[in-house]
Amino acid sequence: MTQLINPHDFVREMEHHWTNRLGNVASDALRQAWLQIGHHFGRNILAHGNPIEGPQWNVLQPATGSGKSQGTAVYCAMLARFKTTEEHPGVLIVVRQIVDADQMAQTINALAGREDYAKAYHSEANGPGVLDSLSQFPVLVITHRAYEMALDALGHDGTIRQTWPLFHGWGFGERKLVVIDEALDIVEESSIDLEGLRLTLAAIPEKLRNEHKEAVDAVKAGLDILERMAQVATSAGDRTAEAILLQKAIDEGTPPDLTELRRAMREVRFDLQVGKSDKDLLASLRERHDTRLKDLNNLFRGWVYYAKAHRRGHTLNTARLLVPEEVKGAVVLDATASANLVYQLFDKAEVIVPPQGVRNYRNVTVHVSKGHRVGKEAMKREGDKLMAAVFDDLNQRIPGRSALVVTHKDTEAKAMTYETTFDTMHGHWGAVTGSNTWRDCDVAVILGLPYLPDTWTANTFMALQGVQSTEWLRNDERPFGNHTDVRKALKLGQMTSDLVQAINRIRCRRVINEDGDCPPVDVFLLLPPGDDANTVLEGLTSLMPGIRVVPWELHAAPKAAKRGRKADMSEAAVRLLENALPGKYPKSYFAEELGMSTKYWEKFVRTYKDESSEVRRRLTDLRISYRTEGAGRGARSYFCKE
């Protein structure tokens, strides 16, 4: 018979761990938050197999810094007292990153006093027989990406090995407790663009066209639909910005299956098609063609709509929910759930009201400068002057302090080239949430906001609420609940959630007294003009109660006679390569992206060639090497990322 942990026993053990082992301060509000976690963990275990309560996703909102990850580890360690598969419920924990999975498993094992109790599984912990052995471990910790791939595989018709049972299996049954740390992306988007699909069709060799005629005809049919929509949109002056096309791309019969064509295409030498023998180019082209065919395969199986997207041009789009009916429920620990409209759209999710008074952010001062273009494209195109003004200003305001600088991925390396009078650490959107790397920083600088594309809002809403009409897509008012336009609300809600997560990567996540205070910190935030800035600030103050917002009169400060520490161009170059796609990157690329001079380029190359250098080690770990083709004056040197 499955055993449970008494929630009050869990609170006592958690308080001991929180205060004696971690050196933190407990409070009545924290105890209530831990009690809520313990209660819902037990509820999820008991609900397993119940046709009504079993599929429910309970979304808890423990404040950042209130011990949700540590609490999960303590609860799992307490379950170690139950030795058999009949007694132990079996636990699956889903975390953001590989390092988080490793750390969670290590913490649980240390608290349980066992080395074979919790197992972290991810791409770096894979190997022969590992996947099949996972059911032997009472506690399994995996990454969000592994979880999403397992859900995705479960939705296919046997064409991909179903990994979900291998994650969910425990002994001779199933894991009864599933814990998801931070929000999980439960919607898979699929999109193809006109130019890309043309390239993929042209790349299919004649031999495969004959062997997979039906699949190739389906690719042609998809291209035909896209070309006709592009023609209509062009002649109509782009008035058909978005339009629902069909409930299903194929009206009658079984939708075409591109699985075998995809498999055959993986053997094609696409590099030779363009007159080169280049394994790096081959890998890149294979991935692009396979992704397009996969997305087209999904388009044939669902609703489809046309949209003219920025940069990509004419596109066909669809989306699907990655949570099949047979997947059991979970406990989601998401501090920013109240800002995320996705939970309101997902009918299996129940957002639980958290205890009050757990945190107080009155020691956090947010300095706000409004009226800036802070999207990814604008910052990439026009951000140099803005970033220069920010760093000149902050050099006068925060000398000697430690700042986390959050930017877009495309501008992260550039931000690392500015001289500062303060210490800097850098992160970018998409790789910030959940990390503890910057917990000692006392300043956060937000250089750009993570706007999601318009197609994401349409895809998310329709995957969760069903296909809508063309009029709905084009309308400026699409009411849902108390929101005038649900698509705008989705975008701003997700942005607010990401912003709060980024700010709480620094030391404001620490609780220093029973009132829930944190050490003093400053946040410098660039916001767009108009009502969007006010909406984001309202969400920020709601999720971080007590926070103080003050104007930031941003201007280019006079340059001091003594500038700050010189920017580390080698570090910026490494980060640029880390964020880059696979390919070849010569000196001209670094000059264009970072303003790197020939002197610094030569120094960077010399540093790489030193086999004992940290730069060499990091680039080798990233599968990046320095290569030279040819000889003499015609020689060409570059860094190559595989």
Side-chain angles (χ1 to χ4, degrees):
M1 179 179 178
T2 300
Q3 302 295 309
L4 297 175
I5 299 297
N6 184 299
H8 295 282
D9 291 342
F10 165 66
V11 171
R12 282 190 288 271
E13 183 62 32
M14 180 60 189
E15 182 170 4
H16 173 75
H17 176 68
W18 187 251
T19 56
N20 294 358
R21 296 194 186 104
L22 302 179
N24 294 319
V25 178
S27 66
D28 287 339
L30 273 173
R31 295 182 194 97
Q32 289 301 311
W34 298 333
L35 186 65
Q36 188 179 71
I37 291 173
H39 167 74
H40 281 279
F41 281 176
R43 179 181 175 185
N44 188 244
I45 293 170
L46 291 175
H48 185 83
N50 185 308
I52 298 176
E53 296 183 5
Q56 190 74 37
W57 290 48
N58 294 308
V59 184
L60 306 185
Q61 304 178 72
T64 302
S66 61
K68 58 184 174 61
S69 297
Q70 291 293 327
T72 302
V74 168
Y75 193 93
C76 290
M78 292 179 73
L79 287 172
R81 69 182 67 163
F82 307 121
K83 306 295 185 183
T84 67
T85 57
E86 289 77 16
E87 293 179 324
H88 197 294
V91 184
L92 175 66
I93 304 172
V94 189
V95 297
R96 281 268 171 196
Q97 302 174 25
I98 289 174
V99 64
D100 299 326
D102 289 337
Q103 186 174 13
M104 176 65 78
Q106 290 167 7
T107 301
I108 294 171
N109 283 334
L111 292 174
R114 294 171 54 182
E115 290 298 320
D116 60 346
Y117 180 63
K119 168 73 174 177
Y121 176 81
H122 43 71
S123 59
E124 295 180 8
N126 200 0
V130 173
L131 195 59
D132 292 307
S133 71
L134 299 182
S135 63
Q136 301 173 17
F137 294 90
V139 179
L140 175 63
V141 190
I142 63 175
T143 61
H144 279 230
R145 181 57 184 152
Y147 185 85
E148 291 162 12
M149 291 175 66
L151 292 178
D152 181 29
L154 193 61
H156 286 74
D157 298 327
T159 56
I160 299 176
R161 186 183 183 191
Q162 295 185 6
T163 52
W164 170 259
L166 299 175
F167 291 159
H168 207 251
W170 159 233
F172 298 103
E174 294 180 326
R175 301 182 188 276
K176 297 180 176 62
L177 175 58
V178 177
V179 181
I180 299 174
D181 196 357
E182 307 294 354
L184 180 71
D185 188 357
I186 57 175
V187 174
E188 180 190 44
E189 300 179 79
S190 298
S191 177
I192 55 171
D193 65 272
L194 179 57
E195 294 304 321
L197 193 56
R198 282 173 174 166
L199 290 172
T200 293
L201 179 60
I204 302 175
E206 188 65 29
K207 180 175 182 293
L208 297 189
R209 290 173 184 261
N210 295 328
E211 294 176 353
H212 303 275
K213 187 175 184 304
E214 290 186 3
V216 174
D217 286 344
V219 177
K220 292 178 180 177
L223 181 59
D224 181 62
I225 293 174
L226 196 44
E227 287 178 332
R228 284 189 281 111
M229 286 305 301
Q231 185 176 15
V232 171
T234 302
S235 62
D238 287 345
R239 286 194 297 274
T240 57
E242 292 180 309
I244 291 291
L245 298 182
L246 301 169
Q247 286 290 103
K248 286 192 178 295
I250 304 299
D251 288 327
E252 298 178 357
T254 303
D257 188 355
L258 306 184
T259 302
E260 292 302 322
L261 176 60
R262 286 177 63 194
R263 186 175 290 114
M265 288 278 277
R266 291 169 191 152
E267 303 301 320
V268 176
R269 287 294 303 270
F270 298 111
D271 56 331
L272 299 181
Q273 291 181 348
V274 294
K276 296 183 179 180
S277 179
D278 188 323
K279 66 176 185 178
D280 302 314
L281 176 62
L282 171 61
S284 177
L285 290 173
R286 274 182 179 164
E287 182 178 1
R288 293 179 195 176
H289 293 313
D290 187 64
T291 298
R292 289 175 190 139
L293 292 177
K294 174 190 173 185
D295 286 349
L296 184 59
N297 212 34
N298 290 341
L299 284 162
F300 287 142
R301 284 158 175 75
W303 42 265
V304 181
Y305 73 97
Y306 163 85
K308 188 172 183 182
H310 180 62
R311 296 187 70 182
R312 293 186 66 210
H314 308 283
T315 64
L316 296 180
N317 305 271
T318 192
R320 60 175 178 162
L321 188 62
L322 285 179
V323 185
E325 288 298 323
E326 57 267 44
V327 172
K328 308 302 184 292
V331 177
V332 182
L333 304 176
D334 184 357
T336 59
S338 61
N340 197 334
L341 186 55
V342 168
Y343 293 121
Q344 296 180 36
L345 302 176
F346 183 32
D347 59 6
K348 289 185 178 181
E350 179 185 358
V351 180
I352 310 299
V353 177
Q356 298 299 305
V358 174
R359 296 299 314 274
N360 190 322
Y361 293 96
R362 59 191 169 191
N363 290 335
V364 178
T365 302
V366 181
H367 307 259
V368 176
S369 179
K370 297 181 181 179
H372 305 285
R373 292 167 55 83
V374 290
K376 180 173 66 175
E377 296 302 323
M379 290 296 293
K380 175 73 173 174
R381 188 175 58 251
E382 310 163 4
D384 282 4
K385 290 183 178 179
L386 181 57
M387 285 194 288
V390 167
F391 285 111
D392 276 342
D393 184 273
L394 295 182
N395 278 341
Q396 314 304 312
R397 292 179 186 266
I398 57 170
R401 296 177 67 179
S402 177
L404 164 64
V405 180
V406 181
T407 60
H408 297 290
K409 186 176 182 179
D410 289 346
T411 54
E412 181 182 15
K414 180 64 177 178
M416 298 172 71
T417 66
Y418 291 92
E419 298 179 3
T420 61
T421 61
F422 51 95
D423 293 330
T424 58
M425 301 180 74
H426 293 262
H428 62 260
W429 298 114
V432 175
T433 299
S435 176
N436 290 322
T437 304
W438 310 286
R439 60 188 174 189
D440 294 324
C441 293
D442 62 345
V443 177
V445 182
I446 311 298
L447 291 177
L449 290 177
Y451 287 90
L452 288 164
D454 288 335
T455 50
W456 175 83
T457 63
N459 288 338
T460 299
F461 186 87
M462 291 193 287
L464 291 162
Q465 291 287 310
V467 65
Q468 304 296 305
S469 66
T470 296
E471 288 70 28
W472 182 88
L473 283 169
R474 297 180 186 173
N475 207 328
D476 291 331
E477 292 190 359
R478 288 152 291 211
F480 180 85
N482 60 349
H483 303 286
T484 303
D485 182 9
V486 67
R487 291 183 67 179
K488 185 175 183 179
L490 274 166
K491 181 178 289 190
L492 293 180
Q494 186 62 56
M495 180 189 296
T496 303
S497 176
D498 290 341
L499 176 60
V500 172
Q501 289 284 355
I503 292 173
N504 278 278
R505 294 311 97 203
I506 64 174
R507 69 178 190 179
C508 59
R509 66 185 290 106
R510 286 167 47 196
V511 180
I512 61 173
N513 57 35
E514 292 189 4
D515 293 331
D517 287 325
C518 64
V521 301
D522 288 280
V523 178
F524 293 88
L525 174 62
L526 301 176
L527 287 178
D531 293 337
D532 288 0
N534 296 329
T535 301
V536 171
L537 281 178
E538 288 173 5
L540 184 61
T541 54
S542 173
L543 290 169
M544 299 182 68
I547 198 170
R548 191 165 69 98
V549 178
V550 300
W552 176 20
E553 298 298 332
L554 175 63
H555 54 83
K559 293 185 179 179
K562 273 183 145 184
R563 295 304 301 269
R565 63 174 180 81
K566 288 193 172 182
D568 186 343
M569 293 297 288
S570 291
E571 183 65 27
V574 170
R575 188 63 57 88
L576 184 67
L577 289 169
E578 180 181 353
N579 293 341
L581 295 171
K584 298 176 179 178
Y585 298 97
K587 181 176 75 171
S588 58
Y589 175 75
F590 294 85
E592 180 179 352
E593 295 293 323
L594 303 179
M596 181 180 279
S597 65
T598 299
K599 174 184 174 182
Y600 276 107
W601 163 260
E602 291 174 348
K603 180 180 178 182
F604 181 55
V605 172
R606 286 197 304 272
T607 303
Y608 170 81
K609 289 182 177 180
D610 179 358
E611 295 186 1
S612 65
S613 70
E614 179 68 9
V615 167
R616 176 64 171 258
R617 184 194 66 77
R618 290 172 62 189
L619 291 183
T620 300
D621 289 345
L622 293 168
R623 301 181 67 187
I624 297 171
S625 58
Y626 180 73
R627 302 179 185 179
T628 299
E629 294 179 351
R633 302 183 67 179
R636 180 171 179 263
S637 298
Y638 55 86
F639 283 90
C640 181
K641 184 174 185 178
E642 298 180 11

